Amino acid sequence: MSTILFEIKNSISIITLNRPEKLNAFNREMSLLLQEKLDECKKKEIRAVYITGSGKAFSAGQDLAEVVDAEGQGMEKIIVEHYNPVVTKIRKLEKPVVAAINGVAAGAGANIALCCDIVVAAASASFIQAFSKIGLIPDSGGTHTLPRLIGWQKASALMLLGNKITSEEAEKMGMIYKVFSDETFKEESFKIAETVSNLPTKALAYTKQLLNISFVNTFEEQLQDEDVFQQKAAHTQDYKEGIQAFLEKRKPHFTGE
Ligand code: T3D
């Protein structure tokens, strides 16, 4: 069985982290395969990405058995070749990425989830910045992403203490978008992917790019960048369709063009 399952349903690529017996902990093979699959999502026909885990976890982060293996990768390779490319590819992908957190998300597993565009979780899921428990610092962009999501103080406490929080707590503090009951989670989380896959893909990509730079830009710089991207959006077919559909009082049919 592959460590990453990949399926395309309509225009949505479904990526499933698939080492359930290890709580979908990342070994080298899984990290590299995830990168490969994220690259495949650049294809024009893909208009949304849905990432989840198989079994009871989303991901327990780095496979800790692999790091003590004498034949395994050193820390430098793990960060530079496994995690940094994954989170960079997700942030740069010009498609919305929905993370559907079905169970525990720990360490790099949590921070990969949190860099996705829309993060939803099952009621029984949980999040842990597990790094401090094993003498590491939070990686996979966590020290950048988490304070921006929930504020410096809460991020600091979660990262230093390494406490497990429930998905409800994560939702309350703004770490994730929504929690669904375990019974409806699969269906509801996938509906979000379906919804975004039918929206104007290019406008969503431009929005994502603006969000990527919004915390480093000054207000004036951001206004200039909004102008640039709005001009681009205004030249898309989907913009024409959006206006036409509004004037004709019908539902728009966006194609991603
Ligand atoms: O060098 C580097 O490490 C650099 C990279 C850093 C990136 C990182 O992600 S560092 C953080 C790594 N992750 C962790 O520290 C989390 C470790 N896991 C846990 O704390 C707990 O397993 C969980 C809180 C995630 C879940 O707890 P629980 O009680 O639901 O499950 P469990 O019984 O602990 O785990 C079930 C099995 O999965 C168990 O195997 P077994 O005994 O049934 O054969 C356990 O050993 C295995 N497992 C869980 N997490 C990992 C793992 N195996 C390898 N690596 C793991 N990360």
Side-chain angles (χ1 to χ4, degrees), residues 7-25:
E7 184 193 340
I8 298 175
K9 198 171 172 192
N10 300 322
S11 55
I12 304 167
S13 50
I14 305 170
I15 296 177
T16 307
L17 310 177
N18 190 40
R19 298 183 76 214
E21 71 293 347
K22 296 281 177 195
L23 303 186
N24 304 319

Side-chain angles (χ1 to χ4, degrees), residues 81-156:
E81 294 184 8
H82 299 185
Y83 297 114
N84 290 357
V86 166
V87 289
T88 304
K89 281 175 194 295
I90 291 173
R91 288 312 317 148
K92 288 198 170 160
L93 190 66
E94 294 181 1
K95 319 283 166 81
V97 181
V98 176
I101 312 306
N102 52 304
V104 65
N111 290 337
I112 288 171
L114 297 179
C115 84
C116 294
D117 299 299
I118 302 178
V119 187
V120 295
S124 61
S126 54
F127 294 82
I128 318 176
Q129 293 293 322
F131 308 88
S132 65
K133 303 262 188 205
I134 54 166
L136 288 181
I137 59 101
D139 57 25
S140 308
T143 55
H144 191 269
T145 313
L146 196 59
R148 283 164 168 77
L149 289 172
I150 62 173
W152 190 87
Q153 175 54 219
K154 284 213 165 81
S156 171

Side-chain angles (χ1 to χ4, degrees), residues 57-76:
F58 176 74
S59 169
Q62 172 63 33
D63 185 329
L64 297 174
E66 193 177 74
V67 293
V68 294
D69 179 353
E71 303 291 308
Q73 308 299 313
M75 177 69 82
E76 192 187 330

